């Protein structure tokens, strides 16, 4: 893990630096809000430990600048008697907070949880019944036969496949696949779904791509006999 510590108290910063380094983390330390803000915005960290009370720019200022650019997970360090800081931190986009003094092991556990949450273990393969998608090789096959998909169709398939069993509306698909904010042209999605359906379901009896009227589309393997 690559971690940024933004903390002006030398004792706490050194203690965190030492502890995290011993856990094989790569650690940067900023001793004030201005350096912290610069490092946080310019670099890609797995997580940031951010003190609230800092010289230069306080933790909220660092967080605000960071959130304009990045979604790096942030744990804020707050003082015991400053409940409003915790609330404000969470409202400003902090992911978690710890009240000082805290145990290193608790901080470490929370950092690990945040990093796991921030980087969901991306499956390399999707499997829906006999439909197989290799996300790394960017290939799809059904019943062992290679499917010839365009890149948009592949993206549409993986977008639905990553959320298999979950209904996605045309608006959601338009945003996720075409990066479009969608009011007018739902036709794009309909046309693409139609083409994808021909390719993945066309010759097969067991249909996987279903239209849920008025709601959207879902990719799932349904038990025979259930309405498609
Ligand atoms: Ca401080």
């Amino acid at each position: 893990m690559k971690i940024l510590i933004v903390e002006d108290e030398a004792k706490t910063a050194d203690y965190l630096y030492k502890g995290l380094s011993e856990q094989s983390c790569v650690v940067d330390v900023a001793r004030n809000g201005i350096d912290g803000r610069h490092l946080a915005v310019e670099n890609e960290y797995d997580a940031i430990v951010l003190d609230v009370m800092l010289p230069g720019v306080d933790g909220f200022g660092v967080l605000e600048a960071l959130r304009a650019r990045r979604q790096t997970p942030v744990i804020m360090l707050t003082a015991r008697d400053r409940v409003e800081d915790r609330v404000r931190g969470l409202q400003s986009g902090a992911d978690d907070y710890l009240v000082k003094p805290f145990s290193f092991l608790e901080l470490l556990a929370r950092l690990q949880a945040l990093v796991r949450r921030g980087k969901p273990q991306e499956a390399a393969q999707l499997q829906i019944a006999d439909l197989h998608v290799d996300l790394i090789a960017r290939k799809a096959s059904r019943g062992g036969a290679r499917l010839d998909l365009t890149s948009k169709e592949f993206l549409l398939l993986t977008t639905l496949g990553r959320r298999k069993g979950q209904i996605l509306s045309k608006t959601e698909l338009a945003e996720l696949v075409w990066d479009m904010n969608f009011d007018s042209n739902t036709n794009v999605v309909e046309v693409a779904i139609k083409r994808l359906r021909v390719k993945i379901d066309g010759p097969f009896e067991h249909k996987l791509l279903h239209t849920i009227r008025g709601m959207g589309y879902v990719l799932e393997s349904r038990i025979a006999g259930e309405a498609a």
Side-chain angles (χ1 to χ4, degrees):
M1 292 198 285
K2 191 176 176 199
I3 308 288
L4 172 65
I5 298 166
V6 189
E7 170 61 272
D8 57 313
E9 291 159 26
K11 207 176 131 194
T12 309
D14 292 348
Y15 163 76
L16 289 177
Y17 178 84
K18 189 164 171 282
L20 290 169
S21 299
E22 281 169 6
Q23 297 293 321
S24 308
C25 295
V26 176
V27 186
D28 287 342
V29 178
R31 305 274 182 176
N32 61 64
I34 293 163
D35 291 349
R37 182 175 62 188
H38 177 75
L39 286 171
V41 168
E42 294 301 323
N43 299 284
E44 210 162 287
Y45 293 100
D46 292 305
I48 298 173
V49 180
L50 179 60
D51 190 29
V52 171
M53 303 287 277
L54 292 166
V57 182
D58 70 6
F60 301 116
V62 174
L63 186 60
E64 193 186 335
L66 173 68
R67 283 290 172 260
R69 286 277 295 276
R70 292 179 187 276
Q71 290 307 313
T72 315
V74 171
I75 295 187
M76 292 196 98
L77 304 180
T78 69
R80 181 166 296 282
D81 54 347
R82 301 276 296 173
V83 178
E84 64 273 27
D85 284 352
R86 284 170 235 162
V87 174
R88 191 174 159 200
L90 294 172
Q91 284 174 342
S92 313
D95 300 274
D96 202 352
Y97 67 84
L98 268 177
V99 176
K100 287 178 168 181
F102 51 86
S103 96
F104 177 74
L105 288 178
E106 185 177 6
L107 174 77
L108 183 64
R110 292 198 188 198
L111 274 177
Q112 285 165 338
L114 272 188
V115 171
R116 270 200 307 273
R117 213 204 299 165
K119 275 192 205 156
Q121 282 302 324
E122 185 77 276
Q125 323 263 333
L126 297 172
Q127 187 82 41
I128 300 114
D130 59 347
L131 172 69
H132 181 83
V133 183
D134 184 327
L135 294 164
I136 293 165
R138 298 182 57 78
K139 286 178 187 166
S141 62
R142 187 150 183 208
R146 173 83 183 269
L147 300 170
D148 185 20
L149 303 177
T150 65
S151 64
K152 275 291 182 229
E153 287 163 354
F154 187 82
L155 184 56
L156 181 58
L157 176 62
T158 55
T159 301
L160 286 158
R162 285 189 170 108
R163 298 163 183 79
K164 68 178 168 186
Q166 189 183 323
I167 300 168
L168 287 172
S169 68
K170 285 178 198 167
T171 309
E172 286 168 319
L173 287 170
E175 282 179 18
L176 292 166
V177 178
W178 286 267
D179 201 16
M180 282 161 57
N181 277 322
F182 214 70
D183 287 316
S184 47
N185 199 3
T186 52
N187 205 24
V188 175
V189 179
E190 280 168 29
V191 168
I193 287 278
K194 204 176 202 174
R195 291 210 178 112
L196 180 63
R197 177 172 274 148
V198 168
K199 292 184 180 180
I200 68 168
D201 277 345
F204 299 93
E205 197 181 331
H206 182 189
K207 307 298 182 196
L208 300 176
L209 180 52
H210 309 277
T211 302
I212 312 296
R213 197 155 297 158
M215 293 182 74
Y217 304 96
V218 62
L219 189 68
E220 66 184 348
S221 174
R222 291 185 171 175
I223 305 155
E226 214 177 310

